[in-house]
Amino acid sequence: MVNLVKNDKWLTPFKEAIEGRHQHAVNKAEELSGNGTLRDFASGYLYFGLHKTDSGWVFREWAPNATEIFLVGDFSDWLEDDRFRLKRIDDNGVWELTAPSDSMHVGQNYKMRVFWQGGKGDRIPAWSTYVVQDPVTKIFTAKIADDAPYKFKVNDFKLQRSPLMIYETHVGMAQEYEGVGSYREFEERILPRVKKLGYNCIQIMAIQEHPYYGSFGYHVSSFFAPSSRFGCPNDLKHLIDTAHGMGIGVIMDIVHSHAVKNTEEGLGLLCGDPYQYFMRGSRREHSAWGSLCFDYGKNQVIHFLLSNCRYWLEEFKFDGFRFDGVTSMLYYSHGLNECFTCYGDYFNGHQDDNAICYLTLANMLVHQVNPNAVTIAEEVSGMPGLAAPVDDGGYGFDYRMAMNIPDYWIKTIKERKDEDWKPSSIFWELTNRRQDEKTISYAESHDQALVGDKTISFRLMDSDMYWHFKKDSVNYTVERGISLHKMIRLVSASTINGGYLNFMGNEFGHPEWIDFPRLENGWSHKYARRQWSLVDNSDLCYHWLSDFDAAMIKEISGLRGFVDTPVVEICKNDGDQILAYMRGKLLFVFNFNPVKSFADYGIVVPEGSYSVALDSDAAEFGGQARNDTSVVHYTDSYGLPKDAKKGRLYLYIPARTAVILKKRD
């Protein structure tokens, strides 16, 4: 348990706080699991909600503030029918309805009509697993899904994690036409692209049902329902099954940090109590997001959220989660206006110990349900121990997002001239991390492309992408942009200590930004799609970037144990703007200099011979082919100690290029 402190002596003054947080989670796990396990406790979805049994239908809901509840729907002409009146069955506020098998049918829509002291309202049940929107009225209702269980063809899939190469996706915007794509279209058209590129995992955004498409899935209303705007639940299961058959893992972006404020669709006023699931007073609403904050101190809320984790893992066979908004959960202030400059800032009483406890329990549960599943924390404050094992005193995430890296690239591109790019700064930023916690590195994700921002390719080339991205009209701006795009990705991906992430389309420099349909743009889907025809057109430059990305992924994934192989610094020369480092047999050499190419540039490496494995300047990747990649390079040990087993490689390193050399046996 003290390993977290043992691994970092600067945490010693906070040992008591770390142990206290750990013990809080251990005690809560014991309290909740009783004589069983956390998995047993997190079984709410098997009890609550609507279920077809051998004897008929049963429906249950936790609604402690309700005075009366009816199930209304197509089966009752949306009227209050005594046949569908719920009964309160315990003092905790659980209500139940039993009905004959022929009283309700697959495909029918329904809601709860809830009465409370002084009011009433129609509500979508909290545990609904299928929620649809009427195309005319735009009203959301729960729907009785096909009760025939989906039969998975792949039941023994194990996600490959060395390294974890994530292709971040959004089903709705994955298609080229101006509209909302489906699970089946994604399966048929996008999965083959992911496979060809070499990524071994997809991360799907916006799965949990959300009333506003433009929220990117972050304002969730129905936590157990996969968004029906993309298809039915079985379509999503089929997608995951197909991905597993292709050797591709599937993780989902799970939102447990907040919930939508909507009352008719969401949990905000489920049975007349605004605090049933959420914080009291000023802490109920997130000041920046306009959403509601869960009360992680309530066992019923923990039960709901942990059951949600187990549900997605077992019912859909997801391979893990990226937990969204973790910083917001960790701090009473949601991390807003906080300065994280020293370790004391993580133990100053501003932290929500109940949220920390919940996150620790969630990680314990996920790995109990599926030991091979992965959990990733989207967290910006740098909370120590977040991705350390629970037994070591950490919170149990497998990875944390390296959110400093995309911020660094944006700042560098915006504020620094090319001649001021410093290899020492780049190397430090990409490798500055806690040694006992693994990270997911990335140059950019969906966040960097949302409306009001720009992708890296657009920052580098802007409007020239419209006029000079045909191979016969490339200008200097495009040539520079293509070169740096490849280099930024290679240096970010090759320095990982856990995994690498790319948002779909960014591998080929997708132009423009992401802007979902909204009132301000006339509800247009023009910028909420991916223009795959650009990369498929061999007359355009886009495929050069995509082909390089695939080659890069292949080289990195091809080195066995890449993640656990240390990054060994070879050369950092800010004057020349040269950076070189090794991982096992792979030597990575970068020349960020915009104008200077270097002949016979000497770098000291393990003695032997080296061949070129990947050259960003190759013609097939849009480069100038200034290197003869067939040449085998041999080290020269002149002037070096005899027993050092080191030698100098003398390389030609063209301006704005990167190369991977592989040490030969």
Side-chain angles (χ1 to χ4, degrees), residues 391-636:
D391 288 345
D392 287 352
Y395 303 166
F397 283 97
D398 295 293
Y399 306 94
R400 64 193 310 157
M401 301 292 290
M403 300 182 74
N404 61 302
I405 296 177
D407 290 344
Y408 174 81
W409 286 124
I410 289 172
K411 185 177 178 65
T412 298
I413 294 169
K414 285 175 62 175
E415 300 179 5
R416 293 181 182 171
K417 298 177 181 179
D418 290 7
E419 55 266 33
D420 294 331
W421 287 32
K422 297 186 182 300
S424 61
S425 172
I426 293 170
F427 189 73
W428 185 88
E429 195 70 43
L430 297 181
T431 58
N432 177 34
R433 55 212 174 198
R434 299 183 61 80
Q435 295 307 304
D436 56 348
E437 299 187 40
K438 294 189 181 301
T439 60
I440 301 294
S441 298
Y442 59 110
E444 57 183 337
S445 67
H446 70 278
D447 283 330
Q448 283 69 46
L450 289 171
V451 66
D453 211 334
K454 296 181 180 180
T455 61
I456 284 178
S457 62
F458 215 52
R459 285 190 182 280
L460 291 170
M461 295 172 275
D462 211 79
S463 61
D464 284 62
M465 295 187 73
Y466 301 134
W467 311 109
H468 297 285
F469 237 59
K470 287 192 71 174
K471 291 180 178 178
D472 59 3
S473 65
V474 171
N475 64 3
Y476 171 78
T477 299
V478 167
E479 184 179 278
R480 167 185 177 269
I482 288 175
S483 297
L484 288 176
H485 194 274
K486 291 180 289 187
M487 295 179 72
I488 287 170
R489 273 162 166 68
L490 181 58
V491 73
S492 299
S494 60
T495 49
I496 60 174
N497 77 328
Y500 174 74
L501 177 142
N502 165 70
F503 182 68
M504 64 177 184
N506 285 355
E507 75 280 356
F508 67 81
H510 198 285
E512 300 161 343
W513 53 85
I514 299 169
D515 187 12
F516 279 85
R518 54 196 175 96
L519 181 63
E520 293 81 358
N521 65 17
W523 302 104
S524 170
H525 288 80
K526 183 177 180 179
Y527 298 109
R529 61 193 180 109
R530 296 285 90 176
Q531 299 180 60
W532 303 108
S533 59
L534 297 176
V535 70
D536 293 339
N537 188 338
S538 59
D539 293 330
L540 302 179
C541 303
Y542 295 99
H543 83 87
W544 282 336
L545 299 178
S546 180
D547 292 346
F548 180 80
D549 196 81
M552 173 187 80
I553 296 297
K554 181 180 179 181
E555 290 301 324
I556 292 172
S557 300
L559 179 62
R560 187 173 183 179
F562 185 84
V563 168
D564 297 318
T565 303
V567 181
V568 179
E569 177 188 328
I570 300 296
C571 173
K572 287 186 307 192
N573 189 317
D574 287 345
D576 294 338
Q577 293 182 274
I578 297 291
L579 173 65
Y581 51 87
M582 288 194 74
R583 299 197 76 159
K585 293 184 176 182
L586 297 184
L587 170 63
F588 300 86
V589 183
F590 297 81
N591 180 4
F592 288 97
N593 199 302
V595 294
K596 289 184 180 180
S597 298
F598 297 94
D600 294 330
Y601 199 92
I603 55 175
V604 178
V605 296
E607 64 182 0
S609 59
Y610 294 76
S611 58
V612 175
L614 180 65
D615 181 11
S616 72
D617 197 43
E620 62 187 300
F621 305 131
Q624 300 177 38
R626 288 167 285 182
N627 257 317
D628 183 352
T629 57
S630 66
V631 172
V632 176
H633 300 269
Y634 295 87
T635 57
D636 181 348

Side-chain angles (χ1 to χ4, degrees), residues 209-228:
E209 190 60 87
H210 46 291
Y212 179 42
Y213 187 49
S215 75
F216 213 78
Y218 288 137
H219 284 202
V220 175
S221 52
S222 295
F223 285 78
F224 290 83
S227 182
S228 63

Side-chain angles (χ1 to χ4, degrees), residues 59 61 69-71 111-114 121-125 270:
F59 174 81
E61 186 76 29
I69 303 176
F70 289 89
L71 213 59
K111 283 187 175 182
M112 297 188 303
R113 184 159 296 157
V114 187
D122 284 0
R123 299 290 184 261
I124 294 176
L270 191 70

